[in-house]
Amino acid sequence: MIDFANVCDAVAATAAKSTKIERLAGYLNSLERDDLVAASRFLSGAPLARKDDRRLAIGGRTILNAARHVWAFDDAALGRAYRDSGDLGEALGALFGEPPVPSLFAERLTAASLAALLDEIASVAGRAAAKKREFVCERILRACRVNREAVYAVKILTGDLRIGLREGLVLDAIAAAFGREPQSVRRAAMAAGDVGAVAVAARDDRLSSIEIRYAAPIGFMLASPIAFGSSYRELAAGTWLVEDKYDGIRAQAHKCGDRVRLFSRTFSDAGRAFPEIVSALAAQRGDFILDGEIVARREGRALPFRYLQPRLQRVDPSEELRSEVPVAFVAFDALAVGSSFLIDRPLGERRAQLAAALEPLGALELAPWQALEPDAPPERVHELFEAARLRGNEGLVLKRTDAPYVPGRRGKWWLKLKRELSTLDCVVVAVEWGHGKRAKVLSDYTFAVRRSAESDELLTIGKAYTGLTDVEIATLTRWFEAHKIAAGRHGFAVEPAIVVEIAFDVIQKSDLHLSGFALRFPRIVRLRPDKPAGEIDTLERVEEIYAEMLAREGVAR
Ligand code: AMP
């Protein structure tokens, strides 16, 4: 694993894509078959193949316990090392003690031998499983001869190399290593669900014979948000179709013979929580891989996501729960039908294949769509939007009819149009001078939520730079200067009285702010002069939105 560690360090040290690919290609080309399989998987961040149903189920605690046995260190040293890097692999690498004296029987870590040990970890079951995993983990760490090897062994165990490498780059490197077309390597990887197998097929010039591996999840294609507005320049090129944006759980359905699998966006199994969807899929003729959304439905109308939550928390739901929250899988794309792998076919063709392959029955539906006329005015888009909302859906997804299915990518082929559903009302607690054009105004606001309805303790949750008009910013600058309470490095704390409504993409746990949460892409939607600071949102509301978001992504994990 020393060569693996060296190549990873070299990849991390350069931002140039071409250099990364060149270094990786040279390394992959030098490997024997089993090492090639394992190293390709590790590089793409997967300790096991994507098609493998098993999980490593190894947490930081197990790794730490094992590491303590091997390199005896105390918690203070670990704390310091972790704070320096924020990465468990780097932290443990820094604590790497003297390597054991090599003996004739000492294990040596190669990509293939590490893969075999990971396989042992993934196969552990039954009583004392945690202890057995820890033991194998200890064997892995003991086999490390130099600290960089240990760093990467730990990173592989945690499933994240953090060296600026995406699977796409690894596939390009495989193509470069064996002189194949990047497109055919990518396609084969999608079909096979295992970068390792694809690397060997590329080496042996067998890419075209790779078969669709049903029951191995494929990355989901994602949509980019567009702003609800008075014009839609994004739609100027190409022809588009419009679907409702369902407020449910994204899922990929695989049916091959009598085998049915339903995967969530995190590739976890969603089938056991939704048996009626699985049986509706099983009743279909033919084999396919479909993309769609699981929605809660009552009397033909979509129910908001929160209705799905009780279903998510239950595997094998009771009859009662099933009739209380009826669900359906609404299919909107076909990735494979029979032996045809469709991801590089245009959407128009995939939709036609979908309609031909699927017989809507029971809990299985075909997503209705409409063609958007070329140069359709914004009023037409809004009309479709309102109609979708009346059906209980969140908004629209607009898709270019000539688009391929691009797994794992948020591109401009699919656009989502919605109005923010959950925003937070927060109070501004500190302000800073802006930059450039805004250097003379206080345009950067730190805002907070209340600890609870009873307590008026304010807990910061984020900082936003944009969203208000120049006039609003100028007026507020005067107000903030008059209501300064304490000076800071770049700005100052202000009386908490200005309430702003904040939209955001995601809530994350974070030590950065007092609330313990941070918002991704926070933006000020509007000022709320109508709302007193005593009535802003609370930490509890933040936790609620966070839990809802996790449930939506995690599906029966
Ligand atoms: P958002 O959750 O707002 O980031 O929106 C992206 C999600 O919209 C996707 O991951 C899907 O789960 C969901 N979605 C709902 N309806 C559709 C649709 N018709 N086509 C594609 N994605 C959809």
Side-chain angles (χ1 to χ4, degrees), residues 21-41 43 169-186 188 194-207 210:
I21 293 177
E22 197 182 314
R23 288 300 307 257
L24 288 169
Y27 166 68
L28 293 170
N29 195 278
S30 72
L31 299 174
E32 295 294 328
R33 186 187 182 286
D34 290 352
D35 285 324
L36 177 62
V37 171
S40 309
R41 284 182 195 157
L43 287 168
L169 267 185
V170 180
L171 297 174
D172 288 352
I174 292 173
F178 305 111
R180 311 286 167 223
E181 276 300 314
Q183 186 51 30
S184 35
V185 175
R186 282 167 186 258
D194 176 13
V195 194
V198 169
V200 173
R203 190 191 66 169
D204 302 345
D205 199 9
R206 282 190 294 102
L207 284 173
I210 278 210

Side-chain angles (χ1 to χ4, degrees), residues 221-223 243-250 265 291-293 332 367 394 397 399 410 414 416 418 552:
M221 180 160 173
L222 302 171
E243 287 166 3
D244 284 8
K245 182 174 190 302
Y246 303 98
D247 186 17
I249 299 155
R250 184 80 175 272
R265 219 161 126 174
D291 187 6
E293 187 99 350
F332 47 68
E394 247 190 319
V397 183
K399 301 179 176 176
R410 199 181 287 284
W414 285 13
K416 59 185 178 193
K418 61 175 183 176
R552 195 185 292 241

Side-chain angles (χ1 to χ4, degrees), residues 23 55 96 112 114 176 180 228 232 244 262 266-267 275 280 317 344 353 375 384 459-460 469 478 480-481 504-505 512:
R23 288 300 307 257
R55 292 276 173 271
F96 183 85
L114 177 57
R180 311 286 167 223
F228 197 91
Y232 295 100
D244 284 8
L262 202 56
T266 50
F267 297 163
D344 40 18
Q353 293 255 18
D375 299 320
L384 293 165
L459 304 169
T460 51
T469 64
R478 286 193 293 279
F480 288 135
E481 284 191 299
F504 50 87
D505 284 4
L512 212 62

